[in-house]
Amino acid sequence: MIPQAFEYEQPSSVADAIAMLGKHGGEARVLAGGHSLLPMMKLRLAAPDALIDIGRIASLRGITDTPDAITIGALTTHAEVAGAEVIASGCPILAETAAGIGDLQVRNRGTIGGSIANADPHGDLPAVLLALDGEATAEGPNGRRTIAAADLFVDYLQTSLSPDEILTEVRVPKASNSAYVKFNRRAQDWAIVGAAAVVHGSSARIALTGVGSKPVRAAAVEAAFDGSNTAEAAGHAADGLDAPSDTAASGEYRAHLARVLVRRALEAAMAR
Amino acid sequence: MAIASEQSKGIGQAVHRKEDRKLLTGKGRYVDDLKLPGMQHMAIVRSTHAHADITAIETSQAKAMPGVTAVLTGEDLEFAAGVPCASNPTGEMVHPVRPPLAKGRVRHAGEPVAVVLASDRYAAADAAAMIEISYSPLPAVVTPEEALADGAPRVHEELDSNVALVLAHSTDNVDDAFAKADVVVKQTIRNQRLIHVPIETRGVVADWNTASDELTVHSSTQVPHFLRTFLAIVCGVSEAKVRAIAPDVGGGFGSKLNAYAEEFVAAAASRKIGAPVKWIEERSEAMLATCHGRAQDAHMELAATTDGKVLAMRAHYVQDYGSYLQMLTPLISQLTLLMSPGAYAIPEVDVTVTNVYTNTVPTDALRGAGRPEATHAIERIMDILALELGMSRTEVRRRNFPQEFPFTTAIGLMYDSGDYEGTLAKLLELSDSKADFERRRQEAAARGKRLGRGLSTYVEVCGFVPSDVARSALGLTPGGWESSTVRMHPTGKVTVITGTSPHGQGHATSWSQIVETELGIPFDDVEVIHGDTAFAPYGLGTYGSRSLAVGGTAVHLAATKVREKARLVAAQMLEAAADDLEFSGGTFSVKGSPDKSVTMQEVAFRAWQAFEMPEGVTPGLDETVFFDPPNCVFPFGAHGCEVEVDEETGKVEITSYIAVDDCGNVVNPMIVDGQVHGGVAHGIGQALYEGAVYDANGQLLTGSLVEYVIPSAVEIPSIQTHRTVTPSPTNPLGVKGIGEAGTIASTPAVVGAVCHALGVRDLDMPLQPETVWRAMEKGGTA
Ligand SMILES: Cc1cc2nc3c(=O)[nH]c(=O)nc-3n(C[C@H](O)[C@H](O)[C@H](O)COP(=O)(O)OP(=O)(O)OC[C@H]3O[C@@H](n4cnc5c(N)ncnc54)[C@H](O)[C@@H]3O)c2cc1C
């Protein structure tokens, strides 16, 4: 649990942070809550030359409510997301998901931006952002751009952010009929499988955690769903999936869980 | 200074633990808190192969790294002996020699191969990453089945096979009993491999003074005195020059009832470089290289009559030793053999234990050490017998309880005292009626949940161990006594020096309670010193739920001796005959004239002054007692629980848990409840969550706490603790152990409940959701 030596920098603005990332030429990493990055460094799975600690950049914090969407600063913690009234009423899936991440310490340190940028296929927020059809804003040396969730998650721990870009905020549409159901062995654990459902009348967007190298849409369920056939549509949740096997669960069991959890998520979303 | 009885903190009171303020406010002192001048930090490079020859170790780059003092391999350190094993059940077992740092060959992934000593942990870790070890891999045997197969590669080439030892015990008429039986049930019952996971990992600071040749070792250990003896033997130094200290220790669960390679390496490295050496184990090392536990399969067979009387038992256990013998590796399955009949009077038994080497981490004591394995196997097969007979699980048990105590089993153990009916009756009284349960079961079914109930009626053996039994029956190197000094200072305050070595058990509290009761001085006037070989006469440490029954008894006896000597001094002071004195509330008074009295404190001062001492009485009040118990003690009880299984996912929730334990007289009910809570949580961990898994090449897949799932507070139900009290005749306090009982009792109760919910005979632990889901998919008729 001893990381390799690294430099530590503490920018006070996004522009500074981008400049520092540039200076280290791709060998620096942004540090947000540190709850994914530091464990990886301690296990020597990551060994950046420098950490650019964005924790002091005030503009990256905070929640903004607009009529159809909510914008959340990248540094907003899971605890803040879980506790925000606008999110609980406007986008309950997000509040519920943030409230179910890890334990209290993790929720007090971990950030929404860090979770999205980390793109862990077992992390809860990527699938939720995908189901919501949300987007992320990034700033880099070439300015600012918006990336749709569908284009953001590339592969295991890989996003389409470039190494010199900073994710500044996350934007989610309001969606009151939405729910995330997470299955794990122990209360504060990572999901074995999670299902995010966002229902608009007779259509639904569904995404899954823990069944591949990145969060995946359950396209077959979405195609089959007609607003009333929850159980039948959920039966397609594992169509075309090649879920991984590990010590937590076999691929077969993950596929089974996907079907059960998608049904439960659809039911919960529709009951809201 | 007599203290009013309502303020008593003596035996029987639920006194808050003395230790807690310090530990809970962060004022504890653990090994890692220790910093010595010039201290170097050790990082260990471990084998990445389960079985391989080491062909080259390239250290030059590491040696050139900044801050590095030395890089050492097996060739650089000389030891007088290998890592010790203190158990030889037959006296004829061959102990393979294991050098503390591997020489030439490694036999499990995680075995220490080289060490770096550097000025800080970071430099040490960086340099360790630069060491290159070349291996020539050998075929590995990872499971006992593989190890026992014809032509299997041998873990130790010098042995004929991978069978380390076979133990057997049988009575004369087993085959007859099976032939006559109305029913025979058979089942293989598995105890999976577990990892201890104490909050504090291992750690050691070794300080070898090369000028005086004195060695001081601070270690997170349960057994400082054993450690000192073994350091002397392995490092080849006079035991009189070795001091071992266990500071505050953050849990052990048996993993620190050991003397490890790393402790010897740290000592030898300190001698080599002439500076103190600190090693703090990382969590991933703790998973990979600290001993594991359980890893035992039981092939059980019971022969019974239609009315549920068990006539005979055949039990064949296969114990996975792992790659080497740790301190007590062979003892563990031996204890399984001894407790194989459990709480039942089974007249005929045929028990064998086949102990097998594999290319995995050595197994050794883990909370319960062999008794949970035995209990799980017998409790599960009793449930299966009940199912076969169509009889209730409680009734089958009741029909086989021994009726009179002491009771000698077919194995030859003498259960000291018991009332097994009593604890079972109390459990049933506290549990819902069958009708209530059936009603709730139907309601739950409508919610997609399957309800089940399970129970266990256990007995366990603890309070280890009469020294002659240690030798003749167990083949242990050490005996099983314990020592204590009770020293009353001139002001009447007391220091207790105990040979026990608490690491969470609250001995400072319980021992103070015993002293208050014996000497009538306030609980708060007693200080307890433990864990330092420079102070204690010698002690065998804390494990096997022995501390109160053996060490607590030594405290009691030493305190009694102090009181009886004080009585002689008081008699002189009061100009009365010693026999004419009464002792109550810390005051000696003359029978019939209560105004003629002296307090214990006044007597202490006089004994220290030694003015006008009675004829033949030496100065001071300072007594040391070594207590060797005449028998072990046998706590028992009945645990019951109810579970809810999610029909779709297989996830199990424990909805109620009742523990009825009998550990004889209770010194501190709060501590006993705490031990039961912790023990039950640990047993639930085995039943539902934990399991160490190796892949086919002997790589540990559950190498972190993400993969190796231990339950958290959320998963542990509210536990109702209840007791009956059947004093032990084995010691004057009438006490038995309680540190492991919860673990022993809970695992079969929980598994029994899940099997009941599903309507299956048995399931292999841990009952993680997928396992349970698969059993339901198969239609619940496994
Ligand atoms: C014990 C434990 C349990 C957990 N359980 C869960 C769980 O149940 N569900 C779950 O979803 N997560 C869980 N997590 C992960 C937690 O949510 C992390 O906080 C999160 O994944 C990362 O957020 P962070 O702010 O800590 O990011 P960091 O660890 O600081 O960074 C993570 C990665 O993202 C990059 N990064 C961070 N912020 C930015 C940014 N603004 N722009 C560009 N790159 C950035 C970093 O460079 C790094 O590569 C758990 C973590 C722990 C330690």
Tab-separated table of all heavy atoms in Angstrom, chain B residues 237-270:
chain	number	residue	atom	x	y	z
B	237	VAL	N	20.180	-17.610	19.869
B	237	VAL	CA	20.650	-16.669	20.881
B	237	VAL	C	20.074	-17.122	22.220
B	237	VAL	O	19.056	-17.807	22.256
B	237	VAL	CB	20.199	-15.231	20.521
B	237	VAL	CG1	18.697	-15.111	20.475
B	237	VAL	CG2	20.789	-14.190	21.459
B	238	SER	N	20.738	-16.740	23.312
B	238	SER	CA	20.246	-17.148	24.622
B	238	SER	C	18.866	-16.554	24.882
B	238	SER	O	18.646	-15.360	24.692
B	238	SER	CB	21.212	-16.656	25.708
B	238	SER	OG	20.532	-16.635	26.951
B	239	GLU	N	17.954	-17.387	25.340
B	239	GLU	CA	16.600	-16.910	25.622
B	239	GLU	C	16.624	-15.794	26.668
B	239	GLU	O	15.785	-14.892	26.654
B	239	GLU	CB	15.728	-18.074	26.108
B	239	GLU	CG	14.259	-17.718	26.208
B	239	GLU	CD	13.368	-18.916	26.496
B	239	GLU	OE1	13.906	-20.027	26.654
B	239	GLU	OE2	12.148	-18.724	26.575
B	240	ALA	N	17.623	-15.835	27.547
B	240	ALA	CA	17.728	-14.816	28.590
B	240	ALA	C	18.047	-13.444	28.013
B	240	ALA	O	17.861	-12.430	28.662
B	240	ALA	CB	18.790	-15.221	29.610
B	241	LYS	N	18.531	-13.439	26.783
B	241	LYS	CA	18.854	-12.159	26.153
B	241	LYS	C	17.727	-11.674	25.248
B	241	LYS	O	17.870	-10.649	24.574
B	241	LYS	CB	20.142	-12.283	25.337
B	241	LYS	CG	21.410	-12.311	26.190
B	241	LYS	CD	22.634	-12.389	25.297
B	241	LYS	CE	23.928	-12.393	26.093
B	241	LYS	NZ	24.277	-11.045	26.577
B	242	VAL	N	16.651	-12.419	25.194
B	242	VAL	CA	15.560	-12.043	24.285
B	242	VAL	C	14.385	-11.523	25.093
B	242	VAL	O	13.987	-12.116	26.098
B	242	VAL	CB	15.102	-13.253	23.435
B	242	VAL	CG1	14.021	-12.811	22.448
B	242	VAL	CG2	16.278	-13.866	22.693
B	243	ARG	N	13.853	-10.413	24.651
B	243	ARG	CA	12.649	-9.865	25.270
B	243	ARG	C	11.611	-9.684	24.162
B	243	ARG	O	11.888	-9.060	23.147
B	243	ARG	CB	12.975	-8.524	25.901
B	243	ARG	CG	11.783	-7.819	26.517
B	243	ARG	CD	12.254	-6.520	27.155
B	243	ARG	NE	11.134	-5.784	27.719
B	243	ARG	CZ	11.213	-4.520	28.143
B	243	ARG	NH1	12.373	-3.871	28.074
B	243	ARG	NH2	10.162	-3.903	28.627
B	244	ALA	N	10.429	-10.256	24.375
B	244	ALA	CA	9.349	-10.083	23.403
B	244	ALA	C	8.234	-9.283	24.053
B	244	ALA	O	7.880	-9.514	25.214
B	244	ALA	CB	8.820	-11.436	22.936
B	245	ILE	N	7.731	-8.338	23.313
B	245	ILE	CA	6.691	-7.454	23.840
B	245	ILE	C	5.517	-7.431	22.869
B	245	ILE	O	5.694	-7.171	21.683
B	245	ILE	CB	7.225	-6.014	24.010
B	245	ILE	CG1	8.424	-5.995	24.964
B	245	ILE	CG2	6.116	-5.084	24.522
B	245	ILE	CD1	9.177	-4.678	24.970
B	246	ALA	N	4.343	-7.715	23.390
B	246	ALA	CA	3.128	-7.517	22.600
B	246	ALA	C	2.498	-6.229	23.112
B	246	ALA	O	1.963	-6.196	24.211
B	246	ALA	CB	2.166	-8.677	22.786
B	247	PRO	N	2.558	-5.145	22.358
B	247	PRO	CA	1.903	-3.914	22.818
B	247	PRO	C	0.395	-4.069	22.620
B	247	PRO	O	-0.097	-5.190	22.592
B	247	PRO	CB	2.509	-2.849	21.912
B	247	PRO	CG	2.922	-3.573	20.670
B	247	PRO	CD	3.170	-5.005	21.059
B	248	ASP	N	-0.335	-2.990	22.471
B	248	ASP	CA	-1.746	-3.166	22.144
B	248	ASP	C	-1.827	-3.919	20.817
B	248	ASP	O	-1.060	-3.645	19.889
B	248	ASP	CB	-2.431	-1.804	22.010
B	248	ASP	CG	-2.626	-1.148	23.385
B	248	ASP	OD1	-2.867	-1.892	24.357
B	248	ASP	OD2	-2.512	0.087	23.485
B	249	VAL	N	-2.716	-4.881	20.769
B	249	VAL	CA	-2.828	-5.731	19.580
B	249	VAL	C	-4.260	-5.644	19.067
B	249	VAL	O	-5.207	-5.878	19.812
B	249	VAL	CB	-2.449	-7.198	19.917
B	249	VAL	CG1	-2.710	-8.108	18.721
B	249	VAL	CG2	-0.983	-7.280	20.337
B	250	GLY	N	-4.389	-5.271	17.807
B	250	GLY	CA	-5.710	-5.038	17.229
B	250	GLY	C	-6.347	-6.274	16.650
B	250	GLY	O	-6.692	-6.321	15.481
B	251	GLY	N	-6.499	-7.286	17.484
B	251	GLY	CA	-7.192	-8.497	17.043
B	251	GLY	C	-6.226	-9.519	16.472
B	251	GLY	O	-5.134	-9.190	16.021
B	252	GLY	N	-6.639	-10.766	16.545
B	252	GLY	CA	-5.795	-11.841	16.041
B	252	GLY	C	-6.606	-12.995	15.485
B	252	GLY	O	-6.336	-13.514	14.432
B	253	PHE	N	-7.619	-13.409	16.257
B	253	PHE	CA	-8.490	-14.523	15.872
B	253	PHE	C	-7.698	-15.798	15.590
B	253	PHE	O	-8.122	-16.641	14.806
B	253	PHE	CB	-9.354	-14.153	14.656
B	253	PHE	CG	-10.093	-12.866	14.848
B	253	PHE	CD1	-9.870	-11.784	14.023
B	253	PHE	CD2	-11.001	-12.732	15.884
B	253	PHE	CE1	-10.534	-10.580	14.216
B	253	PHE	CE2	-11.675	-11.544	16.086
B	253	PHE	CZ	-11.449	-10.458	15.253
B	254	GLY	N	-6.540	-15.919	16.221
B	254	GLY	CA	-5.719	-17.115	16.016
B	254	GLY	C	-4.587	-16.885	15.039
B	254	GLY	O	-3.600	-17.608	15.059
B	255	SER	N	-4.703	-15.870	14.186
B	255	SER	CA	-3.631	-15.671	13.200
B	255	SER	C	-2.339	-15.234	13.868
B	255	SER	O	-1.265	-15.409	13.317
B	255	SER	CB	-4.047	-14.649	12.142
B	255	SER	OG	-4.143	-13.354	12.702
B	256	LYS	N	-2.435	-14.680	15.070
B	256	LYS	CA	-1.233	-14.217	15.772
B	256	LYS	C	-0.847	-15.167	16.904
B	256	LYS	O	-0.061	-14.819	17.781
B	256	LYS	CB	-1.441	-12.790	16.273
B	256	LYS	CG	-1.649	-11.814	15.109
B	256	LYS	CD	-2.059	-10.429	15.570
B	256	LYS	CE	-2.324	-9.535	14.353
B	256	LYS	NZ	-2.871	-8.224	14.757
B	257	LEU	N	-1.447	-16.353	16.893
B	257	LEU	CA	-1.025	-17.447	17.766
B	257	LEU	C	0.026	-18.201	16.963
B	257	LEU	O	-0.203	-19.292	16.454
B	257	LEU	CB	-2.243	-18.345	18.081
B	257	LEU	CG	-2.030	-19.757	18.616
B	257	LEU	CD1	-1.112	-19.788	19.809
B	257	LEU	CD2	-3.365	-20.376	18.958
B	258	ASN	N	1.140	-17.553	16.743
B	258	ASN	CA	2.085	-18.122	15.816
B	258	ASN	C	3.433	-17.452	15.985
B	258	ASN	O	3.557	-16.443	16.668
B	258	ASN	CB	1.585	-17.947	14.372
B	258	ASN	CG	1.568	-19.272	13.650
B	258	ASN	OD1	2.564	-19.985	13.662
B	258	ASN	ND2	0.450	-19.614	13.047
B	259	ALA	N	4.438	-18.042	15.382
B	259	ALA	CA	5.755	-17.412	15.301
B	259	ALA	C	6.114	-17.500	13.828
B	259	ALA	O	6.282	-18.588	13.288
B	259	ALA	CB	6.764	-18.160	16.164
B	260	TYR	N	6.153	-16.346	13.191
B	260	TYR	CA	6.196	-16.314	11.730
B	260	TYR	C	7.585	-16.096	11.166
B	260	TYR	O	8.437	-15.444	11.794
B	260	TYR	CB	5.299	-15.180	11.220
B	260	TYR	CG	3.830	-15.515	11.196
B	260	TYR	CD1	2.966	-15.035	12.163
B	260	TYR	CD2	3.309	-16.310	10.175
B	260	TYR	CE1	1.617	-15.322	12.130
B	260	TYR	CE2	1.955	-16.605	10.127
B	260	TYR	CZ	1.106	-16.107	11.107
B	260	TYR	OH	-0.227	-16.400	11.056
B	261	ALA	N	7.755	-16.541	9.947
B	261	ALA	CA	8.993	-16.321	9.199
B	261	ALA	C	9.420	-14.859	9.279
B	261	ALA	O	10.591	-14.550	9.548
B	261	ALA	CB	8.782	-16.724	7.738
B	262	GLU	N	8.477	-13.951	9.088
B	262	GLU	CA	8.829	-12.529	9.017
B	262	GLU	C	9.414	-12.031	10.337
B	262	GLU	O	10.231	-11.110	10.349
B	262	GLU	CB	7.595	-11.693	8.645
B	262	GLU	CG	7.122	-11.890	7.201
B	262	GLU	CD	6.139	-13.039	7.034
B	262	GLU	OE1	6.055	-13.899	7.952
B	262	GLU	OE2	5.454	-13.096	5.996
B	263	GLU	N	8.942	-12.602	11.462
B	263	GLU	CA	9.480	-12.179	12.760
B	263	GLU	C	10.953	-12.596	12.898
B	263	GLU	O	11.780	-11.833	13.405
B	263	GLU	CB	8.625	-12.763	13.892
B	263	GLU	CG	7.237	-12.124	13.939
B	263	GLU	CD	6.226	-12.873	14.811
B	263	GLU	OE1	6.079	-14.101	14.651
B	263	GLU	OE2	5.579	-12.233	15.637
B	264	PHE	N	11.260	-13.783	12.425
B	264	PHE	CA	12.654	-14.243	12.488
B	264	PHE	C	13.533	-13.465	11.520
B	264	PHE	O	14.671	-13.124	11.829
B	264	PHE	CB	12.732	-15.750	12.202
B	264	PHE	CG	11.878	-16.561	13.129
B	264	PHE	CD1	10.812	-17.320	12.655
B	264	PHE	CD2	12.116	-16.545	14.500
B	264	PHE	CE1	10.007	-18.038	13.519
B	264	PHE	CE2	11.316	-17.265	15.371
B	264	PHE	CZ	10.258	-18.018	14.881
B	265	VAL	N	12.978	-13.185	10.356
B	265	VAL	CA	13.748	-12.448	9.351
B	265	VAL	C	14.052	-11.036	9.863
B	265	VAL	O	15.179	-10.551	9.741
B	265	VAL	CB	12.996	-12.401	8.000
B	265	VAL	CG1	13.702	-11.448	7.025
B	265	VAL	CG2	12.892	-13.799	7.400
B	266	ALA	N	13.058	-10.398	10.472
B	266	ALA	CA	13.284	-9.042	10.987
B	266	ALA	C	14.386	-9.059	12.048
B	266	ALA	O	15.259	-8.181	12.071
B	266	ALA	CB	11.989	-8.469	11.563
B	267	ALA	N	14.363	-10.072	12.922
B	267	ALA	CA	15.382	-10.164	13.974
B	267	ALA	C	16.767	-10.388	13.366
B	267	ALA	O	17.740	-9.705	13.714
B	267	ALA	CB	15.034	-11.291	14.944
B	268	ALA	N	16.837	-11.337	12.448
B	268	ALA	CA	18.141	-11.646	11.838
B	268	ALA	C	18.651	-10.462	11.024
B	268	ALA	O	19.859	-10.185	11.002
B	268	ALA	CB	18.016	-12.892	10.950
B	269	ALA	N	17.729	-9.770	10.360
B	269	ALA	CA	18.133	-8.607	9.560
B	269	ALA	C	18.658	-7.509	10.471
B	269	ALA	O	19.638	-6.837	10.157
B	269	ALA	CB	16.959	-8.108	8.731
B	270	SER	N	18.021	-7.336	11.623
B	270	SER	CA	18.476	-6.316	12.567
B	270	SER	C	19.897	-6.638	13.038
B	270	SER	O	20.754	-5.761	13.146
B	270	SER	CB	17.513	-6.241	13.754
B	270	SER	OG	18.016	-5.376	14.734
